[in-house]
Amino acid sequence: MRALVLSDFWKLTVDEVPDPEPRPDEVLIEVVATGICGSDLHGFTGENGRRRPGQVMGHETVGRVLAVGAQVPAGTCAVGDAVTVNPVLWCGRCRQCRAGREQACPDKQVIGVTPELVSAFAERMAVPAQNVVRLPDGMPVEHGALVEPLAVGYHALVRGDCGSGDTVLVLGGGPIGQACALAALRMGAERVVVSEPAPARRDLNARLGVAVVDPTTEQDLPAAVATALDGESPTLVVDAVGSAATLATAFACAPLGATVVLVGMGAPAVELAAYEISTKERSVVGSFCYSAAEFRDTAAWAATVPESLAVLIEGRADLDGGPASFGALARGEDPSSKILIYPNGRAAAEASSGRDPDPDPAT
Ligand SMILES: [Zn+2]
Ligand SMILES: [Zn+2]
């Protein structure tokens, strides 16, 4: 089969790779679409050290079931089903897994990150049955590729204990910031404002139904944030960038006792204003990935907000267009938030779209 291989940093090639050979407890999937994540871009450039030359990346994906292994539990999925994939592989036996914190499993591997796993920028993939999540009927199939980043945002807001009384400030309006803003709305936050310097990203967030501010032009950002929140200070700040500057902004905007969730991974280490935490009794909470239940719940919820999800997808390419898309995004020449790669081409995907009454992928 064909796949997008990271031949070297800054170099992706479309190569022939061995076909996946699913085990009896696995599901074989024909990939419809896979989103390019910020972490894939940093892997492409070699910046984050979390991807290795030779590997096939891709962890935000949706596809159709081609074959179901003999040991897959009945009712998991059937041939032709549209499914998304939780890319976090967990053992299911350890203390963390038994407590429903699969993302903290010490034996965790991640599809698209672990170099040995052939991942979703490929025509087909084999994944354990427990990672396969059927899309609700009627959901546009390509929206399934957004479930993974949306689950990252949802977990961040769960970590921040977001509820109906909350006023939420999200720092950074890229894909994770967008997912956090949508998660705040999903969890009933009273008001949500996104702080984002790039005009195109501010516009996109505004189309999601949240307030936006430009941190580069506001003389008094905390005041502008409060104005956007109907005069309230944020009770919850989500840092979807994760830099020294955004953490400083979080503390400048969050009042005494507020919670700051750190989900952005912009910098591996930052200097922290310790007194801003101690004397103001703020809670700083880390967030990474999502539990298996949060991923499944997010797939179900995603079907209820198709208009918002349509806004998030800003570009599409087939496998041969993948190297150019990665290059343009990594060099900052393409301002798109989310580009989807269609490994089997867009024509094939449309022929088996959600509205197609014939689920046979061979037709
Ligand atoms: Zn991602
Ligand atoms: Zn485990």
Side-chain angles (χ1 to χ4, degrees):
M1 66 168 181
R2 285 168 14 114
L4 204 52
V5 178
L6 180 66
S7 328
D8 201 350
F9 296 126
W10 288 99
K11 186 163 188 256
L12 281 166
T13 47
V14 179
D15 290 348
E16 198 61 36
V17 302
D19 275 324
E21 287 177 24
R23 297 191 313 252
D25 62 342
E26 288 187 326
V27 173
L28 181 65
I29 295 168
E30 179 177 68
V31 177
V32 171
T34 302
I36 301 177
C37 175
S39 67
D40 295 324
L41 291 174
H42 293 139
F44 171 67
T45 61
E47 261 167 273
N48 63 3
R50 292 181 69 224
R51 305 287 191 278
R52 246 190 265 149
Q55 86 175 92
V56 175
M57 306 189 287
H59 61 273
E60 304 180 356
T61 195
V62 69
R64 285 196 181 271
V65 175
L66 282 177
V68 181
Q71 288 169 21
V72 171
T76 302
C77 58
V79 171
D81 281 352
V83 294
T84 182
V85 174
N86 178 347
V88 178
L89 307 183
W90 67 92
C91 83
R93 294 178 301 275
C94 72
R95 183 186 293 268
Q96 298 289 2
C97 285
R98 282 180 290 143
R101 291 189 295 267
E102 297 85 354
Q103 75 276 22
C105 175
D107 292 330
K108 178 181 81 166
Q109 291 190 307
V110 182
I111 294 172
V113 177
T114 305
E116 293 74 26
L117 302 170
V118 171
S119 301
F121 290 124
E123 289 180 318
R124 289 178 289 284
M125 61 194 300
V127 297
Q130 67 179 1
N131 291 74
V132 174
V133 178
R134 279 193 64 226
L135 295 188
D137 291 337
M139 179 170 165
V141 173
E142 70 174 5
H143 290 183
L146 300 171
V147 170
E148 198 274 345
L150 291 169
V152 171
Y154 179 55
H155 181 63
L157 275 288
V158 169
R159 291 283 293 148
D161 201 18
C162 182
S164 54
D166 277 311
T167 48
V168 179
L169 165 63
V170 178
L171 299 173
I176 295 305
Q178 295 155 20
C180 291
L182 285 173
L185 296 175
R186 170 183 175 185
M187 295 172 79
E190 207 169 288
R191 298 279 294 168
V192 181
V193 59
V194 174
S195 170
E196 165 60 46
R201 292 195 166 180
R202 272 201 309 282
D203 289 351
L204 190 157
N205 281 278
R207 286 160 64 205
L208 299 177
V210 297
V212 291
V213 292
D214 179 356
T216 60
T217 58
E218 295 295 345
Q219 301 288 330
D220 184 351
L221 188 61
V225 165
T227 302
L229 295 173
D230 280 348
E232 305 279 335
S233 293
T235 53
L236 177 58
V237 181
V238 183
D239 185 349
V241 179
S243 66
T246 49
L247 276 169
T249 302
F251 292 144
C253 293
L256 200 113
T259 299
V260 176
V261 178
L262 177 57
V263 62
M265 296 175 67
V270 293
E271 198 165 288
L272 267 186
Y275 290 0
E276 289 291 321
I277 300 171
S278 58
T279 67
K280 308 247 168 88
E281 297 205 331
R282 292 181 174 120
S283 304
V284 179
V285 179
S287 183
F288 187 57
C289 291
Y290 33 74
S291 69
E294 287 164 346
F295 189 95
R296 278 194 301 272
D297 291 350
T298 299
W301 164 81
T304 67
V305 287
E307 294 85 5
S308 293
L309 302 204
V311 168
L312 301 183
I313 301 168
E314 295 195 301
R316 296 170 183 82
D318 60 18
L319 213 52
D320 293 310
S325 293
F326 266 82
L329 287 168
R331 287 190 298 270
E333 294 162 6
D334 185 338
S336 298
S337 287
K338 186 60 72 188
I339 292 180
L340 301 185
I341 301 292
Y342 278 74
N344 289 284
R346 289 181 60 194
E350 269 150 33
S352 69
S353 74
R355 277 172 285 278
D356 188 344
D358 178 0
D360 183 357
T363 58

